[in-house]
mmCIF file of all heavy atoms in Angstrom:
data_model
loop_
_atom_site.group_PDB
_atom_site.id
_atom_site.type_symbol
_atom_site.label_atom_id
_atom_site.label_comp_id
_atom_site.label_asym_id
_atom_site.label_seq_id
_atom_site.Cartn_x
_atom_site.Cartn_y
_atom_site.Cartn_z
ATOM 1 N N SER A 187 108.595 83.617 108.226
ATOM 2 C CA SER A 187 108.920 82.282 107.735
ATOM 3 C C SER A 187 108.005 81.841 106.599
ATOM 4 O O SER A 187 108.330 80.913 105.868
ATOM 5 C CB SER A 187 108.829 81.270 108.882
ATOM 6 O OG SER A 187 107.546 81.303 109.460
ATOM 7 N N ALA A 188 106.845 82.470 106.422
ATOM 8 C CA ALA A 188 105.918 82.069 105.374
ATOM 9 C C ALA A 188 106.493 82.431 104.007
ATOM 10 O O ALA A 188 106.854 83.589 103.772
ATOM 11 C CB ALA A 188 104.564 82.751 105.573
ATOM 12 N N PRO A 189 106.600 81.461 103.091
ATOM 13 C CA PRO A 189 107.151 81.760 101.766
ATOM 14 C C PRO A 189 106.179 82.584 100.929
ATOM 15 O O PRO A 189 104.985 82.642 101.204
ATOM 16 C CB PRO A 189 107.364 80.368 101.164
ATOM 17 C CG PRO A 189 106.366 79.495 101.858
ATOM 18 C CD PRO A 189 106.240 80.046 103.245
ATOM 19 N N VAL A 190 106.706 83.225 99.882
ATOM 20 C CA VAL A 190 105.894 84.026 98.969
ATOM 21 C C VAL A 190 106.109 83.503 97.560
ATOM 22 O O VAL A 190 107.088 82.819 97.267
ATOM 23 C CB VAL A 190 106.255 85.519 99.050
ATOM 24 C CG1 VAL A 190 105.938 86.073 100.421
ATOM 25 C CG2 VAL A 190 107.733 85.738 98.726
ATOM 26 N N ILE A 191 105.161 83.816 96.685
ATOM 27 C CA ILE A 191 105.256 83.401 95.289
ATOM 28 C C ILE A 191 105.867 84.538 94.476
ATOM 29 O O ILE A 191 105.447 85.682 94.586
ATOM 30 C CB ILE A 191 103.870 83.031 94.725
ATOM 31 C CG1 ILE A 191 103.267 81.860 95.521
ATOM 32 C CG2 ILE A 191 103.979 82.666 93.244
ATOM 33 C CD1 ILE A 191 104.094 80.594 95.467
ATOM 34 N N ARG A 192 106.852 84.211 93.669
ATOM 35 C CA ARG A 192 107.457 85.166 92.757
ATOM 36 C C ARG A 192 107.380 84.589 91.353
ATOM 37 O O ARG A 192 107.691 83.411 91.138
ATOM 38 C CB ARG A 192 108.911 85.455 93.145
ATOM 39 C CG ARG A 192 109.034 86.175 94.485
ATOM 40 C CD ARG A 192 108.536 87.594 94.378
ATOM 41 N NE ARG A 192 108.602 88.318 95.631
ATOM 42 C CZ ARG A 192 107.545 88.627 96.368
ATOM 43 N NH1 ARG A 192 106.341 88.262 95.973
ATOM 44 N NH2 ARG A 192 107.685 89.325 97.479
ATOM 45 N N GLU A 193 106.938 85.425 90.394
ATOM 46 C CA GLU A 193 106.757 84.946 89.028
ATOM 47 C C GLU A 193 107.015 86.071 88.041
ATOM 48 O O GLU A 193 107.009 87.256 88.412
ATOM 49 C CB GLU A 193 105.343 84.396 88.834
ATOM 50 C CG GLU A 193 104.243 85.422 89.063
ATOM 51 C CD GLU A 193 102.866 84.836 88.893
ATOM 52 O OE1 GLU A 193 102.712 83.945 88.054
ATOM 53 O OE2 GLU A 193 101.946 85.275 89.601
ATOM 54 N N ALA A 194 107.217 85.692 86.803
ATOM 55 C CA ALA A 194 107.471 86.681 85.760
ATOM 56 C C ALA A 194 106.214 87.499 85.497
ATOM 57 O O ALA A 194 105.102 86.970 85.509
ATOM 58 C CB ALA A 194 107.925 85.979 84.481
ATOM 59 N N GLY A 195 106.408 88.794 85.254
ATOM 60 C CA GLY A 195 105.288 89.674 84.959
ATOM 61 C C GLY A 195 104.521 90.072 86.203
ATOM 62 O O GLY A 195 104.646 89.471 87.266
ATOM 63 N N GLY A 196 103.739 91.130 86.115
ATOM 64 C CA GLY A 196 102.905 91.549 87.234
ATOM 65 C C GLY A 196 103.711 92.189 88.347
ATOM 66 O O GLY A 196 104.854 92.608 88.172
ATOM 67 N N ASP A 197 103.076 92.286 89.518
ATOM 68 C CA ASP A 197 103.721 92.971 90.641
ATOM 69 C C ASP A 197 104.363 91.988 91.613
ATOM 70 O O ASP A 197 104.665 92.346 92.735
ATOM 71 C CB ASP A 197 102.719 93.877 91.367
ATOM 72 C CG ASP A 197 101.620 93.100 92.056
ATOM 73 O OD1 ASP A 197 101.505 91.888 91.777
ATOM 74 O OD2 ASP A 197 100.882 93.694 92.864
ATOM 75 N N ARG A 198 104.565 90.742 91.171
ATOM 76 C CA ARG A 198 105.245 89.765 92.014
ATOM 77 C C ARG A 198 106.527 89.266 91.349
ATOM 78 O O ARG A 198 106.977 88.163 91.592
ATOM 79 C CB ARG A 198 104.318 88.588 92.324
ATOM 80 C CG ARG A 198 103.095 88.973 93.140
ATOM 81 C CD ARG A 198 102.347 87.757 93.646
ATOM 82 N NE ARG A 198 101.833 86.939 92.558
ATOM 83 C CZ ARG A 198 101.159 85.799 92.736
ATOM 84 N NH1 ARG A 198 100.940 85.359 93.962
ATOM 85 N NH2 ARG A 198 100.712 85.107 91.714
ATOM 86 N N SER A 199 107.100 90.107 90.497
ATOM 87 C CA SER A 199 108.284 89.680 89.753
ATOM 88 C C SER A 199 109.583 90.126 90.409
ATOM 89 O O SER A 199 110.642 89.599 90.086
ATOM 90 C CB SER A 199 108.227 90.216 88.319
ATOM 91 O OG SER A 199 108.219 91.632 88.328
ATOM 92 N N ALA A 200 109.515 91.105 91.318
ATOM 93 C CA ALA A 200 110.740 91.611 91.952
ATOM 94 C C ALA A 200 111.222 90.644 93.025
ATOM 95 O O ALA A 200 110.437 90.146 93.826
ATOM 96 C CB ALA A 200 110.486 92.987 92.556
ATOM 97 N N VAL A 201 112.518 90.382 93.040
ATOM 98 C CA VAL A 201 113.113 89.509 94.049
ATOM 99 C C VAL A 201 114.296 90.228 94.688
ATOM 100 O O VAL A 201 114.887 91.138 94.103
ATOM 101 C CB VAL A 201 113.575 88.165 93.439
ATOM 102 C CG1 VAL A 201 112.391 87.312 93.026
ATOM 103 C CG2 VAL A 201 114.513 88.401 92.261
ATOM 104 N N THR A 202 114.623 89.809 95.896
ATOM 105 C CA THR A 202 115.676 90.450 96.676
ATOM 106 C C THR A 202 116.835 89.494 96.876
ATOM 107 O O THR A 202 116.633 88.314 97.183
ATOM 108 C CB THR A 202 115.128 90.897 98.043
ATOM 109 O OG1 THR A 202 113.999 91.749 97.834
ATOM 110 C CG2 THR A 202 116.178 91.645 98.838
ATOM 111 N N GLY A 203 118.042 89.992 96.709
ATOM 112 C CA GLY A 203 119.224 89.176 96.913
ATOM 113 C C GLY A 203 119.301 88.630 98.326
ATOM 114 O O GLY A 203 118.980 89.320 99.287
ATOM 115 N N GLY A 204 119.749 87.372 98.451
ATOM 116 C CA GLY A 204 119.875 86.748 99.764
ATOM 117 C C GLY A 204 118.676 85.923 100.161
ATOM 118 O O GLY A 204 118.715 85.230 101.172
ATOM 119 N N THR A 205 117.587 85.990 99.389
ATOM 120 C CA THR A 205 116.424 85.159 99.685
ATOM 121 C C THR A 205 116.568 83.825 98.957
ATOM 122 O O THR A 205 117.335 83.693 98.007
ATOM 123 C CB THR A 205 115.127 85.867 99.279
ATOM 124 O OG1 THR A 205 115.171 86.200 97.877
ATOM 125 C CG2 THR A 205 114.963 87.157 100.076
ATOM 126 N N GLN A 206 115.793 82.834 99.398
ATOM 127 C CA GLN A 206 116.021 81.455 98.953
ATOM 128 C C GLN A 206 114.836 80.914 98.171
ATOM 129 O O GLN A 206 113.686 81.037 98.586
ATOM 130 C CB GLN A 206 116.278 80.565 100.168
ATOM 131 C CG GLN A 206 116.652 79.126 99.817
ATOM 132 C CD GLN A 206 116.839 78.277 101.053
ATOM 133 O OE1 GLN A 206 116.151 78.459 102.042
ATOM 134 N NE2 GLN A 206 117.786 77.356 101.011
ATOM 135 N N VAL A 207 115.131 80.306 97.026
ATOM 136 C CA VAL A 207 114.106 79.650 96.217
ATOM 137 C C VAL A 207 113.802 78.287 96.836
ATOM 138 O O VAL A 207 114.698 77.472 97.042
ATOM 139 C CB VAL A 207 114.574 79.491 94.758
ATOM 140 C CG1 VAL A 207 113.569 78.673 93.959
ATOM 141 C CG2 VAL A 207 114.786 80.855 94.119
ATOM 142 N N LEU A 208 112.522 78.068 97.158
ATOM 143 C CA LEU A 208 112.125 76.818 97.814
ATOM 144 C C LEU A 208 111.615 75.768 96.840
ATOM 145 O O LEU A 208 111.591 74.580 97.166
ATOM 146 C CB LEU A 208 111.043 77.109 98.859
ATOM 147 C CG LEU A 208 111.444 78.023 100.019
ATOM 148 C CD1 LEU A 208 110.262 78.219 100.955
ATOM 149 C CD2 LEU A 208 112.626 77.446 100.774
ATOM 150 N N SER A 209 111.159 76.200 95.667
ATOM 151 C CA SER A 209 110.633 75.231 94.703
ATOM 152 C C SER A 209 110.852 75.754 93.290
ATOM 153 O O SER A 209 110.978 76.963 93.082
ATOM 154 C CB SER A 209 109.129 75.010 94.938
ATOM 155 O OG SER A 209 108.404 76.194 94.634
ATOM 156 N N ASP A 210 110.917 74.852 92.349
ATOM 157 C CA ASP A 210 111.008 75.191 90.926
ATOM 158 C C ASP A 210 112.284 75.983 90.611
ATOM 159 O O ASP A 210 113.257 75.907 91.350
ATOM 160 C CB ASP A 210 109.745 75.949 90.494
ATOM 161 C CG ASP A 210 108.493 75.148 90.809
ATOM 162 O OD1 ASP A 210 108.312 74.085 90.207
ATOM 163 O OD2 ASP A 210 107.727 75.572 91.691
ATOM 164 N N ARG A 211 112.237 76.772 89.561
ATOM 165 C CA ARG A 211 113.415 77.531 89.142
ATOM 166 C C ARG A 211 112.992 78.858 88.546
ATOM 167 O O ARG A 211 111.883 79.001 88.023
ATOM 168 C CB ARG A 211 114.262 76.746 88.138
ATOM 169 C CG ARG A 211 113.502 76.281 86.922
ATOM 170 C CD ARG A 211 114.371 75.483 85.983
ATOM 171 N NE ARG A 211 115.028 76.349 85.010
ATOM 172 C CZ ARG A 211 115.981 75.945 84.186
ATOM 173 N NH1 ARG A 211 116.416 74.699 84.244
ATOM 174 N NH2 ARG A 211 116.515 76.767 83.318
ATOM 175 N N LEU A 212 113.899 79.814 88.623
ATOM 176 C CA LEU A 212 113.625 81.161 88.127
ATOM 177 C C LEU A 212 114.784 81.637 87.270
ATOM 178 O O LEU A 212 115.947 81.352 87.571
ATOM 179 C CB LEU A 212 113.435 82.151 89.285
ATOM 180 C CG LEU A 212 112.258 81.929 90.245
ATOM 181 C CD1 LEU A 212 112.344 82.923 91.393
ATOM 182 C CD2 LEU A 212 110.929 82.066 89.514
ATOM 183 N N LYS A 213 114.451 82.367 86.233
ATOM 184 C CA LYS A 213 115.449 83.150 85.517
ATOM 185 C C LYS A 213 115.267 84.593 85.957
ATOM 186 O O LYS A 213 114.168 85.144 85.892
ATOM 187 C CB LYS A 213 115.272 83.033 84.004
ATOM 188 C CG LYS A 213 115.860 81.783 83.393
ATOM 189 C CD LYS A 213 115.774 81.831 81.873
ATOM 190 C CE LYS A 213 116.296 80.536 81.265
ATOM 191 N NZ LYS A 213 116.183 80.562 79.776
ATOM 192 N N ILE A 214 116.355 85.187 86.404
ATOM 193 C CA ILE A 214 116.267 86.518 87.007
ATOM 194 C C ILE A 214 117.228 87.463 86.301
ATOM 195 O O ILE A 214 118.408 87.134 86.100
ATOM 196 C CB ILE A 214 116.608 86.453 88.511
ATOM 197 C CG1 ILE A 214 115.607 85.542 89.229
ATOM 198 C CG2 ILE A 214 116.631 87.843 89.143
ATOM 199 C CD1 ILE A 214 116.026 85.165 90.629
ATOM 200 N N ARG A 215 116.715 88.636 85.945
ATOM 201 C CA ARG A 215 117.569 89.684 85.384
ATOM 202 C C ARG A 215 117.991 90.613 86.515
ATOM 203 O O ARG A 215 117.152 91.163 87.229
ATOM 204 C CB ARG A 215 116.843 90.472 84.302
ATOM 205 C CG ARG A 215 117.715 91.595 83.683
ATOM 206 C CD ARG A 215 116.967 92.421 82.667
ATOM 207 N NE ARG A 215 116.636 91.630 81.480
ATOM 208 C CZ ARG A 215 115.398 91.317 81.121
ATOM 209 N NH1 ARG A 215 114.372 91.705 81.881
ATOM 210 N NH2 ARG A 215 115.172 90.604 80.032
ATOM 211 N N ILE A 216 119.282 90.785 86.726
ATOM 212 C CA ILE A 216 119.808 91.631 87.800
ATOM 213 C C ILE A 216 119.516 93.098 87.488
ATOM 214 O O ILE A 216 119.749 93.567 86.364
ATOM 215 C CB ILE A 216 121.326 91.415 87.977
ATOM 216 C CG1 ILE A 216 121.609 89.943 88.345
ATOM 217 C CG2 ILE A 216 121.876 92.337 89.052
ATOM 218 C CD1 ILE A 216 120.963 89.488 89.630
ATOM 219 N N THR A 217 119.020 93.822 88.486
ATOM 220 C CA THR A 217 118.605 95.220 88.263
ATOM 221 C C THR A 217 119.391 96.230 89.093
ATOM 222 O O THR A 217 119.144 97.430 88.979
ATOM 223 C CB THR A 217 117.107 95.384 88.577
ATOM 224 O OG1 THR A 217 116.869 94.959 89.929
ATOM 225 C CG2 THR A 217 116.252 94.561 87.636
ATOM 226 N N THR A 218 120.300 95.755 89.945
ATOM 227 C CA THR A 218 121.086 96.698 90.749
ATOM 228 C C THR A 218 122.566 96.365 90.656
ATOM 229 O O THR A 218 122.949 95.202 90.486
ATOM 230 C CB THR A 218 120.679 96.667 92.233
ATOM 231 O OG1 THR A 218 120.821 95.342 92.742
ATOM 232 C CG2 THR A 218 119.250 97.132 92.425
ATOM 233 N N ALA A 219 123.386 97.392 90.813
ATOM 234 C CA ALA A 219 124.831 97.208 90.764
ATOM 235 C C ALA A 219 125.341 96.674 92.092
ATOM 236 O O ALA A 219 124.683 96.839 93.131
ATOM 237 C CB ALA A 219 125.507 98.541 90.432
ATOM 238 N N PRO A 220 126.511 96.024 92.113
ATOM 239 C CA PRO A 220 127.068 95.517 93.376
ATOM 240 C C PRO A 220 127.239 96.643 94.397
ATOM 241 O O PRO A 220 127.649 97.750 94.067
ATOM 242 C CB PRO A 220 128.437 94.956 92.937
ATOM 243 C CG PRO A 220 128.289 94.668 91.481
ATOM 244 C CD PRO A 220 127.352 95.704 90.948
ATOM 245 N N GLY A 221 126.898 96.335 95.638
ATOM 246 C CA GLY A 221 127.043 97.313 96.710
ATOM 247 C C GLY A 221 125.876 98.261 96.865
ATOM 248 O O GLY A 221 125.824 99.029 97.825
ATOM 249 N N SER A 222 124.932 98.223 95.916
ATOM 250 C CA SER A 222 123.784 99.135 96.008
ATOM 251 C C SER A 222 122.464 98.384 96.064
ATOM 252 O O SER A 222 121.415 98.958 95.819
ATOM 253 C CB SER A 222 123.776 100.093 94.809
ATOM 254 O OG SER A 222 123.647 99.370 93.590
ATOM 255 N N SER A 223 122.528 97.094 96.371
ATOM 256 C CA SER A 223 121.299 96.307 96.436
ATOM 257 C C SER A 223 120.467 96.715 97.639
ATOM 258 O O SER A 223 120.933 97.425 98.539
ATOM 259 C CB SER A 223 121.629 94.812 96.530
ATOM 260 O OG SER A 223 122.199 94.521 97.800
ATOM 261 N N PHE A 224 119.248 96.245 97.645
ATOM 262 C CA PHE A 224 118.352 96.568 98.757
ATOM 263 C C PHE A 224 118.913 96.031 100.074
ATOM 264 O O PHE A 224 118.844 96.700 101.105
ATOM 265 C CB PHE A 224 116.974 95.962 98.486
ATOM 266 C CG PHE A 224 115.943 96.344 99.493
ATOM 267 C CD1 PHE A 224 115.543 97.656 99.619
ATOM 268 C CD2 PHE A 224 115.381 95.395 100.334
ATOM 269 C CE1 PHE A 224 114.590 98.020 100.554
ATOM 270 C CE2 PHE A 224 114.439 95.749 101.266
ATOM 271 C CZ PHE A 224 114.041 97.064 101.370
ATOM 272 N N VAL A 225 119.492 94.842 100.040
ATOM 273 C CA VAL A 225 120.068 94.271 101.255
ATOM 274 C C VAL A 225 121.230 95.130 101.749
ATOM 275 O O VAL A 225 121.372 95.378 102.946
ATOM 276 C CB VAL A 225 120.527 92.822 101.007
ATOM 277 C CG1 VAL A 225 121.355 92.304 102.174
ATOM 278 C CG2 VAL A 225 119.321 91.919 100.781
ATOM 279 N N ASP A 226 122.081 95.595 100.821
ATOM 280 C CA ASP A 226 123.202 96.455 101.220
ATOM 281 C C ASP A 226 122.698 97.719 101.901
ATOM 282 O O ASP A 226 123.251 98.161 102.913
ATOM 283 C CB ASP A 226 124.049 96.827 99.999
ATOM 284 C CG ASP A 226 124.831 95.651 99.440
ATOM 285 O OD1 ASP A 226 125.461 94.944 100.243
ATOM 286 O OD2 ASP A 226 124.789 95.433 98.226
ATOM 287 N N ARG A 227 121.651 98.314 101.343
ATOM 288 C CA ARG A 227 121.114 99.539 101.946
ATOM 289 C C ARG A 227 120.488 99.251 103.300
ATOM 290 O O ARG A 227 120.601 100.034 104.244
ATOM 291 C CB ARG A 227 120.080 100.175 101.010
ATOM 292 C CG ARG A 227 120.684 100.671 99.709
ATOM 293 C CD ARG A 227 119.747 101.609 98.983
ATOM 294 N NE ARG A 227 118.442 101.030 98.740
ATOM 295 C CZ ARG A 227 118.162 100.245 97.705
ATOM 296 N NH1 ARG A 227 119.108 99.946 96.836
ATOM 297 N NH2 ARG A 227 116.945 99.762 97.529
ATOM 298 N N MET A 228 119.809 98.109 103.402
ATOM 299 C CA MET A 228 119.209 97.742 104.681
ATOM 300 C C MET A 228 120.276 97.556 105.752
ATOM 301 O O MET A 228 120.123 98.030 106.889
ATOM 302 C CB MET A 228 118.398 96.445 104.539
ATOM 303 C CG MET A 228 117.034 96.631 103.899
ATOM 304 S SD MET A 228 116.192 95.049 103.720
ATOM 305 C CE MET A 228 116.082 94.524 105.412
#
């Protein structure tokens, strides 16, 4: 339940589909094709 910080650059820039933004806003570049996301594989 503890939230994490995600930001541009560095090793905290990767985000996973299905997770929820709790504050502020993000611009995200999609890096996986439909059906092959990390959540789909999980």
